């Protein structure tokens, strides 16, 4: 069982309890536990085995027992009992924005709506707003929500897919006969969402059937879709499909290239090969005339034979990477070792789970030279945002912690709201005392593009602002970006010496890859921040780095690769 499987069960329990209109306190505790577990970079299984489960904030004794039951049996009795309740079938409806548990139950009672299809039909026929208290506007919102839901269904977030893939790789790697294993497909390219997971292995003939058995018998598997000697597919309990291919050593590199994709990149490489008198397939590179196999064991060989240097998987989208490779102009992509600090994180002062010191100590473990503490400002009341007075006190606390914790610089900062009129939520005199000011939009997402663009540009034009947080506001698979003229924002950021954030929170990845590249081309700097709300989440930086690589970014274009001195110059708008 993976953390995500346990989190999903708790979320479903909360959904059913909500539909049953049960005690809100109980519902919240399941929700909270689900979120905590989902965000935990550590394996819940190992925490359970050392008895540490109960020490995780948000997990009490009773939930810890349930987690242990799920680890042991794959489910828990409480969940199985709840699933028998007739409202269980309505949980799908809760995925539609605008449909809460009360409405779902009403729609079911009064209109006989049982699933998303029924809901769509009822909304299209205008039957929803015939109900008392339901306006036409909500009906429209629900229809839009259904469209969004259909678009996302079947695609999984990068972080979730990667978690499963890495744990499968670990299992298979330990199998006898497995000498090589790689993740391929969109996951190797680190796309923000993943359709299915592709894994390739070399395993001696004598071992292949045992490897397939192990793969199909993993406890995270719900269904076996296909099982053969060289290819098997399974459906995980979480709904993700995984394809496993066993390959021969002599064609492994060609297959790795083929199954990494993207399809468009492959087509372009194949066309190029054709022009050179070659044939590229998943089995190798061949001479088109003689059909002689020229190479196939290593992926590098495929590129070499078509006259190109190795192209990193994240660039393989046929969006100029082949031309750049040909001209020796591939970017030297940023990687983890370039990162010197993290400039976006929350503490107990607002809605974070850890103290300033705890954040700093974890960052030190990651090898960072500096961090910035950036709690919310007062407009975000649900997060306990700070007002001027509280921020002044917080800055003092940060300075104290900075003296106490050696070996890392703790910069003082704030994630200040850009209010609907474009003014900032806190007084300039206090903002001026912060080392790092992040401007952010957290309200009124539904403005027109014109209004939103004006709002953001006014916000980042305040000379105290250094970084624009999650510039488009999208939540992957949940909330579309708000309407904004990003090009105009990029231009303003350039003029005002403001960096755009690449928020690494797995649900955000905002700026997304193509927008990072757009910013890069305009000469605007990027800040890769984790927006951590707990120390362990600082590790989420990997998703930001992956997205940055997809956006062609080099270390020099990302401000948190700078030395502290250079960063300070940038923050002072001298860099
Ligand atoms: P996904 O799973 O939808 O997130 O995207 P991918 O890229 O992982 O696609 P998938 O799993 O269907 O196939 C894996 C790779 O196999 C894909 O990136 C390229 C290669 N591939 C699959 N089908 C074709 C095809 O019809 N033509 C070519 N040239 N390559 C293909
Ligand atoms: Ca795939
Ligand atoms: Ca696939």
């Amino acid at each position: 069982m993976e953390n995500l499987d346990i989190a999903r069960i708790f979320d479903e329990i909360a959904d059913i309890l909500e539909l049953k209109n049960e005690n809100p306190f109980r519902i919240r505790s399941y929700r909270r536990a689900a979120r905590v577990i989902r965000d935990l970079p550590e394996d819940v299984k190992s925490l359970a085995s050392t008895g540490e489960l109960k020490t995780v904030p948000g997990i009490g004794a009773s939930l810890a027992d349930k987690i242990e039951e799920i680890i042991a049996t794959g489910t828990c009795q409480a969940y199985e009992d709840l699933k028998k309740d007739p409202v269980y079938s309505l949980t799908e409806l809760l995925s539609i924005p605008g449909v809460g548990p009360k409405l779902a139950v009403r729609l079911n009672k009064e209109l006989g709506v049982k699933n998303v299809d029924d809901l769509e039909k009822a909304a299209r026929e205008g039957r929803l707003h015939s109900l008392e208290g339901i306006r036409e506007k909500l009906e429209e919102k629900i229809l839009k929500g259904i469209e969004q839901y259909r678009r996302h269904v079947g695609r999984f977030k990068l972080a979730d897919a990667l978690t499963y893939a890495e744990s499968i790789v670990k299992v298979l790697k330990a199998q006898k006969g497995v000498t090589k294993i790689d993740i391929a497909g969109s996951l190797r390219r680190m796309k923000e969402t993943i359709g299915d997971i592709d894994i390739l292995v070399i395993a001696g003939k004598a071992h292949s059937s045992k490897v397939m058995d192990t793969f199909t018998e993993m406890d995270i598997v719900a269904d076996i879709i296909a099982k053969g000697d060289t290819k098997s597919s399974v459906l995980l309990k979480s709904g993700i499909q995984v394809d496993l291919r066993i390959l021969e050593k002599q064609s492994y590199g060609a297959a790795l290239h083929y199954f990494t994709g993207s399809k468009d990149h492959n087509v372009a490489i194949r066309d190029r090969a054709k022009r050179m008198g070659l044939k590229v397939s998943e089995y190798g590179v061949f001479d088109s005339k003689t059909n002689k196999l020229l190479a196939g064991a290593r992926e590098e060989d495929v590129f070499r034979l078509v006259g190109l240097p190795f192209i990193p998987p994240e660039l393989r989208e046929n969006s100029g990477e082949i031309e750049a490779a040909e001209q020796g102009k591939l970017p030297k992509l940023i990687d983890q070792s370039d990162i010197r600090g993290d400039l976006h994180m929350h503490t107990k002062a607002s809605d974070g789970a850890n103290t300033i010191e705890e954040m700093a100590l974890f960052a030190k473990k990651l090898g960072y030279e500096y961090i910035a503490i950036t709690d919310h400002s007062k407009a975000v009341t649900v997060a306990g945002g700070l007002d001027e007075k509280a921020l002044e006190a917080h800055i003092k606390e940060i300075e104290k912690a900075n003296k106490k914790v050696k070996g890392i610089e703790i910069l003082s900062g704030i994630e200040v709201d850009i209010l609907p009129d474009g003014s900032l939520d806190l007084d300039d005199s206090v903002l001026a005392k912060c080392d790092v000011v992040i401007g952010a939009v957290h309200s009124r997402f539904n403005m027109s593009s014109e209004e939103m663009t004006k709002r953001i540009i006014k916000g980042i034009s305040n000379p105290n602002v250094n970084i624009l947080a999650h510039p488009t506001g999208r939540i992957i698979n949940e909330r579309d970006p708000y309407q904004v003229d990003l090009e105009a924002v990029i231009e303003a950021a350039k003029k005002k010496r403001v960096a755009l954030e690449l928020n690494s929170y797995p649900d955000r990845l905002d700026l997304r890859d193509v927008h990072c590249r757009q910013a890069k081309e305009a000469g605007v700097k990027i800040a890769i921040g984790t927006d951590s709300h707990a120390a362990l989440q600082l590790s989420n930086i990997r998703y930001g780095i992956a997205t940055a690589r997809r956006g062609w970014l080099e270390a020099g274009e990302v401000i948190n690769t700078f030395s502290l001195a250079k960063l300070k110059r940038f923050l002072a708008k001298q860099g």
Side-chain angles (χ1 to χ4, degrees):
M1 291 310 273
E2 290 294 325
N3 293 6
L4 292 171
D5 293 306
I6 297 167
R8 184 175 38 78
I9 291 175
F10 282 180
D11 259 334
E12 270 192 40
I13 291 178
D15 283 348
I16 305 168
L17 292 174
E18 274 200 291
L19 289 164
K20 284 167 62 79
N21 200 13
E22 294 266 343
N23 178 353
F25 182 75
R26 225 176 123 210
I27 296 167
R28 258 202 307 278
S29 74
Y30 276 110
R31 269 297 170 235
R32 172 144 188 252
R35 206 187 56 221
V36 167
I37 295 167
R38 188 173 293 115
D39 288 344
L40 215 59
E42 261 172 296
D43 193 355
V44 169
K45 271 179 296 202
S46 64
L47 289 175
S49 66
T50 57
E52 282 174 286
L53 262 183
K54 286 191 269 300
T55 68
V56 177
I59 312 246
S62 128
L63 286 173
D65 286 347
K66 292 207 173 59
I67 293 172
E68 281 171 18
E69 191 185 346
I70 296 169
I71 292 171
T73 67
T75 184
C76 66
Q77 200 51 50
Y79 175 54
E80 292 302 316
D81 291 344
L82 282 169
K83 281 206 294 190
K84 292 188 193 116
D85 196 291
V87 297
Y88 175 59
S89 66
L90 303 181
T91 49
E92 187 195 7
L93 294 176
L94 301 179
S95 319
I96 309 298
V99 183
K102 287 213 177 63
L103 182 58
V105 170
R106 247 190 100 193
L107 292 170
N108 178 252
K109 280 215 177 93
E110 298 180 27
L111 299 174
V113 167
K114 283 196 277 308
N115 51 41
V116 173
D117 287 345
D118 293 349
L119 178 62
E120 183 175 17
K121 196 153 173 271
R124 287 216 187 288
E125 290 168 1
R127 278 187 286 135
L128 292 193
H129 77 267
S130 69
L131 295 184
E132 205 185 308
I134 296 186
R135 297 215 190 106
E136 223 161 313
K137 205 149 180 210
L138 180 63
E139 199 165 66
E140 276 166 33
K141 182 174 177 191
I142 288 174
L143 277 171
K144 208 173 142 231
I146 291 174
E147 188 199 306
Q148 241 185 70
Y149 171 75
R150 293 250 159 81
R151 228 184 309 133
H152 298 146
V153 83
R155 294 204 68 85
F156 298 84
K157 289 173 198 160
L158 170 65
D160 294 355
L162 199 55
T163 306
Y164 284 105
E166 285 177 345
S167 95
I168 295 169
V169 165
K170 206 161 133 198
V171 169
L172 295 180
K173 215 177 191 163
Q175 295 305 302
K176 224 174 160 178
V178 172
T179 54
K180 189 143 178 48
I181 181 158
D182 282 285
I183 294 169
S186 52
L187 191 51
R188 184 163 180 242
R189 305 196 313 277
M190 294 283 185
K191 264 186 83 163
E192 64 188 35
T193 62
I194 305 298
D196 69 2
I197 297 172
D198 303 281
I199 298 177
L200 309 182
V201 301
I202 299 178
K205 275 240 156 55
H207 303 283
S208 58
S209 78
K210 182 75 208 322
V211 170
M212 287 305 187
D213 289 346
T214 305
F215 175 65
T216 52
E217 285 162 15
M218 298 179 300
D219 67 353
I220 52 175
V221 170
D223 268 315
I224 301 171
I225 299 165
K227 190 175 175 193
D229 292 336
T230 58
K231 187 189 167 193
S232 297
S233 295
V234 297
L235 190 67
L236 303 184
K237 287 173 179 157
S238 54
I240 308 184
Q241 182 179 326
V242 189
D243 296 342
L244 175 69
R245 290 182 172 81
I246 299 184
L247 298 155
E248 306 275 343
K249 203 171 159 204
Q250 65 272 15
S251 58
Y252 187 79
L256 181 57
H257 179 264
Y258 180 88
F259 290 111
T260 295
S262 66
K263 206 166 148 183
D264 291 342
H265 168 91
N266 288 354
V267 168
I269 289 283
R270 238 182 295 139
D271 286 349
R272 179 183 173 86
K274 214 181 273 169
R275 291 195 296 275
M276 298 171 75
L278 300 167
K279 201 182 91 201
V280 172
S281 75
E282 60 185 284
Y283 303 106
V285 184
F286 302 84
D287 183 309
S288 331
K289 277 210 197 85
T290 62
N291 247 344
K292 184 174 168 252
L293 174 69
L294 302 174
R298 298 177 336 137
E299 198 179 33
E300 287 81 353
D301 297 336
V302 177
F303 289 112
R304 183 175 46 80
L305 284 167
V306 297
L308 297 175
F310 182 83
I311 299 177
E314 296 91 334
L315 299 184
R316 300 184 198 166
E317 298 293 344
N318 194 31
S319 58
E321 74 278 9
I322 295 176
E323 295 76 4
E326 188 168 46
Q327 295 159 21
K329 286 187 181 152
L330 281 175
K332 189 179 174 306
L333 297 180
I334 183 171
D335 72 44
Q336 180 88 48
S337 63
D338 294 314
I339 300 289
R340 297 209 204 186
D342 192 328
L343 301 174
H344 190 165
M345 67 193 68
H346 299 264
T347 67
K348 283 187 163 161
S350 63
D351 57 348
N354 292 99
T355 62
I356 303 165
E357 255 182 76
E358 286 163 349
M359 297 305 282
L361 290 173
F362 195 86
K364 245 178 89 168
K365 264 199 241 165
L366 297 179
Y368 287 170
E369 294 167 29
Y370 51 79
I371 54 170
I373 301 292
T374 54
D375 279 293
H376 285 291
S377 66
K378 61 181 188 276
V380 195
T381 45
V382 287
L386 310 178
D387 62 14
E388 282 81 358
K389 212 169 133 224
L391 176 56
E392 298 234 25
H394 194 40
I395 292 174
K396 293 218 173 72
E397 289 302 312
I398 295 168
E399 283 165 359
K400 245 201 268 168
N402 191 30
K403 289 214 181 77
K404 191 162 164 212
V405 184
K406 303 287 171 215
I408 186 163
E409 179 81 4
I410 311 174
L411 302 169
S412 63
I414 184 80
E415 180 181 12
V416 64
D417 262 54
I418 301 175
L419 301 174
D421 69 358
S423 65
L424 300 182
D425 185 31
L426 294 172
D427 205 71
D428 281 347
S429 60
V430 193
L431 295 178
K433 292 182 184 162
C434 292
D435 297 314
V436 180
V437 174
I438 305 180
V441 167
H442 289 119
S443 61
R444 290 278 310 275
F445 297 119
N446 55 353
M447 286 178 146
S448 71
S449 172
E450 207 182 354
E451 286 175 309
M452 186 60 92
T453 307
K454 220 169 114 196
R455 171 186 185 179
I456 291 175
I457 291 180
K458 181 165 175 217
I460 64 175
S461 297
N462 180 308
N464 290 308
V465 174
N466 304 115
I467 298 170
L468 173 64
H470 37 71
T472 74
R474 66 96 173 248
I475 306 286
I476 298 175
N477 287 2
E478 274 166 47
R479 188 170 77 207
D480 284 340
Y482 36 69
Q483 304 288 319
V484 64
D485 179 352
L486 199 61
E487 214 165 297
V489 171
I490 288 174
E491 199 180 302
K494 165 98 178 147
K495 224 165 63 205
K496 302 292 174 185
R497 301 190 189 198
V498 166
L500 297 182
E501 182 178 69
L502 194 187
N503 189 294
S504 309
Y505 208 78
D507 295 1
R508 287 194 183 267
L509 301 182
D510 177 11
L511 290 180
R512 55 182 302 191
D513 48 17
V514 290
H515 294 150
C516 287
R517 198 168 166 194
Q518 210 180 325
K520 168 198 174 102
E521 271 154 21
V524 169
K525 295 281 184 273
I526 300 288
I528 305 181
T530 55
D531 202 351
S532 289
H533 286 71
L536 291 169
Q537 293 174 6
L538 289 169
S539 308
N540 285 336
I541 195 88
R542 69 181 298 202
Y543 309 116
I545 295 167
T547 304
R549 289 169 64 86
R550 288 182 56 81
W552 291 54
L553 294 184
E554 305 195 8
E557 289 154 345
V558 173
I559 63 171
N560 48 315
T561 67
F562 292 176
S563 67
L564 182 60
K566 187 170 175 191
L567 175 70
K568 282 187 169 167
R569 283 200 298 278
F570 178 85
L571 296 172
K573 313 220 170 191
Q574 293 159 352

